[in-house]
């Protein structure tokens, strides 16, 4: 029952914030305000409901080290997407037509901040974390990634390829980032950095979510496998490759730090073997 209350609380705040942000999307300053308030409110509600229902300190959102973790995630996210777009540009499939909109990019800061925070709280803070307790890190990563990818099928220009790509490059990578740090701050920064670079800087589509107005007025063309087509570069094979490599890297860090959670039946078998000695 406690999981139901956690989900309802986080979803309610995210839904209200999302509706407000969409209602004022033509006003970049209100969009920035709405997204920022949604992010802050979601974090406060998550900390309150998880702490109350699980009767523990919510260490995954501990304020200590949060600025540094958010910054590292932001840098990684922007750098990764820059590598993706650089590969598409190298093949002549990404073209910059001129400067875009500064105010549009400002509005996207709010929109992407609200989305990054609420999605990380839902999919990594709740779904991955709770499934991991019983099924272990690897199965939880696969299952939560699949659900995360499937949730993007409801977007305006969604494609099956895009959903599969999101499951691999984002669902896996962000869950692995959480496993490596046991903190939600790094995946939140990584999620925001990737999405903002995609839309707010390079002016490309984000997960099939309609038009964007970033700092650059640009377009992609060419094979869907390389550019992502109408879904955006997140469905590009380059995004999948870079996301998969980052997932492996984070999992290696998690293993080195002893933060990989085994399946429960494995734990029971080890306990029985110890007793039999």
């Amino acid at each position: 029952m406690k999981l139901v209350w956690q989900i309802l609380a986080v979803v309610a705040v995210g839904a209200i914030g999302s509706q407000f942000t969409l209602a004022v999307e033509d006003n970049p300053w209100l969009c920035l305000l709405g997204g920022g308030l949604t992010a802050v409110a979601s974090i406060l509600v998550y900390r309150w409901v998880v702490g109350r229902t699980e009767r523990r300190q919510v260490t995954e959102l501990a304020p200590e080290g949060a600025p540094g973790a958010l910054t590292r995630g932001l840098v990684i996210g922007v750098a990764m997407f820059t590598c993706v777009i650089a590969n598409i540009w190298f093949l002549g499939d990404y073209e910059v037509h001129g400067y875009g909109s500064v105010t549009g990019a400002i509005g996207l800061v709010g929109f992407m901040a609200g989305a990054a925070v609420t999605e990380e709280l839902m999919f990594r803070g709740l779904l991955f974390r709770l499934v991991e307790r019983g099924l272990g890190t690897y199965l939880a990563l696969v299952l939560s990634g699949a659900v995360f990818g499937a949730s993007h099928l409801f977007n305006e220009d969604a494609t099956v390829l895009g959903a599969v790509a999101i499951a691999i490059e984002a669902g896996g990578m962000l869950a692995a980032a959480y496993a490596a740090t046991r903190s939600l701050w790094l995946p939140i920064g990584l999620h925001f950095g990737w999405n903002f670079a995609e839309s707010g800087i390079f002016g490309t589509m984000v997960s099939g979510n309609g038009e964007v107005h970033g700092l650059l007025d640009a377009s992609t063309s060419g094979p869907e496998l390389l550019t992502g087509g109408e879904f955006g570069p997140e469905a590009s094979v380059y995004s999948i490759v870079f996301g998969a490599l980052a997932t492996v890297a984070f999992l290696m860090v998690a293993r080195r730090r002893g933060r990989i959670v085994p399946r429960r039946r494995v734990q029971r078998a080890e306990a029985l073997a110890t007793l039999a000695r």
Side-chain angles (χ1 to χ4, degrees):
M1 190 63 182
K2 64 183 179 182
L3 176 60
V4 175
W5 285 114
Q6 291 171 357
I7 292 174
L8 288 176
V10 175
V11 167
V13 175
I16 293 171
S18 177
Q19 289 303 310
F20 175 80
T21 305
L22 288 173
V24 299
E25 62 180 345
D26 292 331
N27 186 317
W29 301 106
L30 286 179
C31 192
L32 176 64
L33 176 64
L37 290 175
T38 299
V40 172
S42 297
I43 289 172
L44 292 176
V45 167
Y46 178 96
R47 292 182 65 180
W48 175 79
V49 71
V50 170
R52 187 178 181 87
T53 56
E54 297 186 14
R55 298 180 181 179
R56 65 175 179 86
Q57 290 187 332
V58 186
T59 54
E60 63 267 29
L61 282 176
E64 296 80 14
L70 284 170
T71 302
R72 286 191 295 274
L74 175 65
V75 171
I76 294 171
V78 172
M80 283 184 62
F81 190 79
T82 300
C83 290
V84 170
I85 211 70
N87 277 275
I88 297 174
W89 171 81
F90 181 76
L91 295 176
D93 295 328
Y94 174 77
E95 182 179 359
V96 177
H97 308 293
Y99 293 110
S101 169
V102 174
T103 55
I106 290 172
L108 285 170
V109 170
F111 184 84
M112 294 305 172
V117 170
T118 54
E119 289 183 6
E120 288 313 299
L121 295 180
M122 277 294 304
F123 289 98
R124 262 58 67 179
L126 293 180
L127 180 60
F128 173 78
R129 179 176 62 84
L130 296 174
V131 171
E132 185 186 37
R133 292 179 180 178
L135 299 181
T137 299
Y138 298 121
L139 279 178
L141 185 147
V142 172
L143 291 175
S144 64
V147 174
F148 188 57
S151 70
H152 288 74
L153 287 171
F154 299 98
N155 293 352
E156 184 178 347
D157 293 314
T159 64
V160 173
L161 174 61
V164 172
I166 289 288
I168 297 172
E169 77 206 20
M173 175 179 64
L174 295 169
Y178 171 75
T181 61
R182 293 299 157 183
S183 168
L184 288 168
W185 296 120
L186 180 67
I188 286 173
L190 178 51
H191 193 151
F192 173 78
W194 173 280
N195 279 3
F196 182 72
E198 188 173 11
S199 57
I201 298 176
F202 294 105
T204 56
M205 195 81 71
V206 178
S207 307
N209 270 317
E211 295 183 1
V212 295
H213 304 283
L215 295 175
L216 296 177
D217 177 17
S219 62
T220 58
S221 59
E224 183 177 351
L225 185 64
L226 299 180
T227 65
E230 294 183 351
F231 191 84
E234 283 176 320
S236 164
V237 67
Y238 296 119
S239 294
I240 296 173
V241 169
F242 284 119
L245 290 174
T247 300
V248 172
F250 280 127
L251 287 176
M252 290 175 65
V253 173
R255 175 172 287 278
R256 188 172 68 246
R257 293 176 176 177
R259 291 173 174 170
I260 298 295
V261 177
R263 294 181 65 181
R264 281 191 172 182
R265 68 180 185 182
V266 174
Q267 290 176 316
R268 287 198 296 268
E270 290 177 347
L272 290 173
T274 301
L275 291 174
R277 291 173 184 170

